[in-house]
Amino acid sequence: MTRRTKRDVVQEFRKSEILSAARTVFSRKGFHDATIDDIAASAGLAKGTVYLYFKSKQEIYLAALRDGIEALLRKMRADAEGPGTARDKLRRLIETKMAFFDENVDFFQIIQSELGRLDTTMNECRDLYFDQTRIIEDVLKAGIKEGAVRKLNTAKAAFAVADLTKGIVIQRTMGWSKTRLKGEVDFIFNLLWKGIST
Amino acid sequence: MTRRTKRDVVQEFRKSEILSAARTVFSRKGFHDATIDDIAASAGLAKGTVYLYFKSKQEIYLAALRDGIEALLRKMRADAEGPGTARDKLRRLIETKMAFFDENVDFFQIIQSELGRLDTTMNECRDLYFDQTRIIEDVLKAGIKEGAVRKLNTAKAAFAVADLTKGIVIQRTMGWSKTRLKGEVDFIFNLLWKGIST
Amino acid sequence: MTRRTKRDVVQEFRKSEILSAARTVFSRKGFHDATIDDIAASAGLAKGTVYLYFKSKQEIYLAALRDGIEALLRKMRADAEGPGTARDKLRRLIETKMAFFDENVDFFQIIQSELGRLDTTMNECRDLYFDQTRIIEDVLKAGIKEGAVRKLNTAKAAFAVADLTKGIVIQRTMGWSKTRLKGEVDFIFNLLWKGIST
Amino acid sequence: MTRRTKRDVVQEFRKSEILSAARTVFSRKGFHDATIDDIAASAGLAKGTVYLYFKSKQEIYLAALRDGIEALLRKMRADAEGPGTARDKLRRLIETKMAFFDENVDFFQIIQSELGRLDTTMNECRDLYFDQTRIIEDVLKAGIKEGAVRKLNTAKAAFAVADLTKGIVIQRTMGWSKTRLKGEVDFIFNLLWKGIST
DNA sequence: AATGAATGAGAATTCATTCAT
DNA sequence: TATGAATGAATTCTCATTCAT
């Protein structure tokens, strides 16, 4: 078993500090307009220091993305594996995703602005993105077994769920919609459930 | 009435040629990685010439966006004002948008990658984006009057329609879904209509 | 036949201007301490302009080297193919080489300082270096046929000629020896000829 | 008489360890591409520790050079002061120098690549370099007294000896000549002796 | 003494923009 | 109008050196 030395802990801490700063800067300026200097300053460090923890701007970017996506996936998996009917789970998934982005607006902006240009280095992120729809799909399949969901193309339906949720997130992120989260979830879930239930 | 001189016509023509080239290049490389040289070469012009028609790279970019959005809006308005029930119109709107992006993949990529970071200069584009949902909303309102659509928050529902459509477009743009367009439209419209009809 | 347009001529001219400046700077500071800014300034250009003519610092460096070596080789070949006995030719080769470096001190410094680290990109330069000794060797072989030169390992002897000449060049380059060129040539040729003649 | 405290001894030892590591690294990468980290790692120390023993990278470099040159000079002086005729001594000097560099290839590479650019800080190294030719010159003068060497400019001749030897060393260092050391010495000494003997 | 984290000056390279032809 | 050579600001990344522990 590898014991984490004090140094490891500090390293880890610095890294997460930098990533946090990076997330803020990237979300505000996008990948290209964000400079390492921006990130360093935002983290209260000198430029060179950032390079002690990350090999390149790309690496910081990817790490920031990966971190966020993984955190979201963890939460969604917990929802899907939790108790309740498929209906309950579906609702919870939507809630979770929205709440997550409500609290991580900057992270969402990053995802949003770069999904369009997933070059090779970004592939792992795309995979993680797909994982998300797969979680939803599994819940839908369970719903069909339960008889609560009508027989439909679960893959397509899963995307629909993800897209609708994302749409709301965009509106909230952009500040176009300020209503309570619960109202949004109600509306969208209602629409969806009518659309997919038996 | 201002008569368009021959010069104006030529100007207009050159501009649209450059924009067309720009759209291709921007969609392939994104705003930052696209160089003026790329665009000029793609338009068969010298770098300096581009600056005779546009003040800056930004301006080209915005013009390219505006152009595309306006073309889409024109088509969607035509749909909304055409004949048929709200149901027919809604279906047609979805079809139109998907077909449009199917034929203008590059343009979609541009929108997609930059909508997340609408700084002040981009505001006019956001407005155009909103227009789109307003068109949908009007159709939904008509549907309610017809009694075909249940009473619901039409603004939110309009966004839902737009988001679902966009989701499909993304999948197609990324090459994740290769099926015939009609199948996609059927699926999504079906889901939606079940969700919003009385 | 490719006709050189005026543009080609200008291009060629600029390139040679930059190379000339580069040679001066490189010889004074060495590859690493020379900055592109130095070279540009020395050529009376802006930094960016240099990059219109050369892809990288490396490329400038290699071009400067190649240029010089080729010029020297051309002169030496002319000597070797000129009239006279092997003895005459050998003397002339030495004279030529020394005179060449007397006039191209900076170039010599470059060669001198980098022969030690011929990485892959430098290989062509090494080849050119070898060509030089081969020219000498051919003259020596002719000398043996004439009966003027004793039978010896011509390859090794050629290197000896080259090394002795280079040694003198170093002394002159460093300013350690200020005497007339002719005296140096006399001394060294005398020594050599005694060493290799029958 | 200053007594060397134990501390002094340790200091001296560490310094020489670092210099040894430095020599290896410098010869492999050259002055600029060698990093203090490289040297420290190669010496099994932390970067900061190196600075306890040397003020700067420059200083390490110079010390490494000086060390090597002094070692060579010591050996050559021993040769010159040893028994035998001038002829014997001259041969031995050549042998010694070649053997020394055969065993210290890395050190030779350093000298080779930097002698071309002796700026002020390097001056002391140049002096050491000159000492070498002076040793040879003294032997030549003795040879003249013995009547074995013809009357000639001993300074120039000494440089010739040094240059020829260096030439061979280069070829061996570069791996262009793999034959036994003795053969090389024979050839060059033979040539030289014919050139300078009465 | 020893460490290695932090610093920031410095260098290569790119490219939007200008301007003389 | 059209051109494309010239410019130089801006950016990423490296590494010698310092300094708190």
Side-chain angles (χ1 to χ4, degrees), chain B residues 78-93:
Chain B
D79 284 343
E81 290 161 3
T85 63
R87 190 176 187 278
D88 296 335
K89 289 181 181 176
L90 192 60
R91 199 182 198 290
R92 232 184 300 135
L93 279 174

Side-chain angles (χ1 to χ4, degrees), chain D residues 23-40:
Chain D
R23 212 139 38 218
T24 309
V25 174
F26 280 136
S27 71
R28 201 144 46 219
K29 306 203 177 187
F31 179 75
H32 268 96
D33 290 335
T35 69
I36 295 287
D37 247 337
D38 287 336
I39 295 170

